Amino acid sequence: EAEVAQSPRYKITEKSQAVAFWCDPISGHATLYWYRQILGQGPELLVQFQDESVVDDSQLPKDRFSAERLKGVDSTLKIQPAELGDSAMYLCASSLDGDYGYTFGSGTRLTVV
Amino acid sequence: AQSVTQPDIHITVSEGASLELRCNYSYGATPYLFWYVQSPGQGLQLLLKYFSGDTLVQGIKGFEAEFKRSQSSFNLRKPSVHWSDAAEYFCAVGAPDTNAGKSTFGDGTTLTVKP
């Protein structure tokens, strides 16, 4: 069964350092989402891509977060500088064409110390 | 903007007992509705979805959910719970007339299954 690949699975970083997460969606999926899930809460959309274009980044803290999907395939989410409040699970999901048929990856658990 | 409320933070049921997890949504038109399950440290898996038509939706792992427009609810049910169902469950709503593909999630209900 096709999967969404994410790496790393776990990341511990110090406050003010830079950190990056990688996501490889299911082959052929045009829509890619990055969600952030704080412990005890549901996932919150950070950014949505359609191919290489950003569709929605209204909840992305743009002063410190950036996301790219240069060739419309895999994607990178970056935080610089990391803050204590960024500790969370970062989930990537993809769908065929924005059709809500999400497949989620296993996520990256970020701890900022 | 759409929103989702899951009133029960934590539910405990005995193995073999029936289960109902509550979900209430807020949205001006007919929403798209979803239930996901998340095991500890893992991503989310889609259990079932409602777009239109029959208001009783069947999903994977023996789960079903019923859309009730008059109550703005989409409760998840299972007639007999197995120990492996212990996990966190998230209800989500999509808004097809605004952002295609974006889902807004509730804060989840943690299910514990007693032997």
Side-chain angles (χ1 to χ4, degrees), chain B residues 8-23:
Chain B
D8 304 305
I9 296 174
H10 194 177
I11 283 185
T12 299
V13 298
S14 298
E15 191 169 15
S18 63
L19 170 70
E20 182 168 25
L21 302 181
R22 297 185 291 165
C23 171

Side-chain angles (χ1 to χ4, degrees), chain A residues 8-52:
Chain A
R9 284 298 310 276
Y10 304 94
K11 180 70 177 179
I12 300 174
T13 192
E14 294 185 345
K15 187 175 59 172
S16 79
Q17 295 298 303
V19 64
F21 315 126
W22 176 79
C23 172
D24 190 13
I26 291 174
S27 178
H29 278 196
T31 312
L32 185 147
Y33 313 82
W34 283 102
Y35 278 84
R36 177 173 61 184
Q37 185 180 19
I38 295 170
L39 191 64
Q41 299 181 17
E44 175 191 33
L45 181 68
L46 291 176
V47 61
Q48 177 183 346
F49 288 94
Q50 181 69 24
D51 298 311
E52 66 274 11

Side-chain angles (χ1 to χ4, degrees), chain A residues 83-101:
Chain A
E83 296 181 353
L84 295 178
D86 296 330
S87 295
M89 174 80 88
Y90 290 83
L91 293 162
C92 180
S94 69
S95 69
L96 197 58
D97 193 13
D99 60 359
Y100 294 98

Side-chain angles (χ1 to χ4, degrees), chain B residues 64-105:
Chain B
E64 67 178 25
E66 186 171 12
F67 171 56
K68 292 185 177 181
R69 185 189 303 275
S70 61
Q71 299 176 20
S72 298
S73 69
F74 189 58
N75 293 351
L76 182 71
R77 301 193 294 248
K78 187 170 186 178
S80 177
V81 169
H82 188 262
W83 63 266
S84 61
D85 293 323
E88 188 152 23
Y89 291 81
F90 292 93
C91 182
V93 61
D97 60 341
T98 55
N99 180 356
K102 174 184 177 180
S103 288
T104 299
F105 288 80

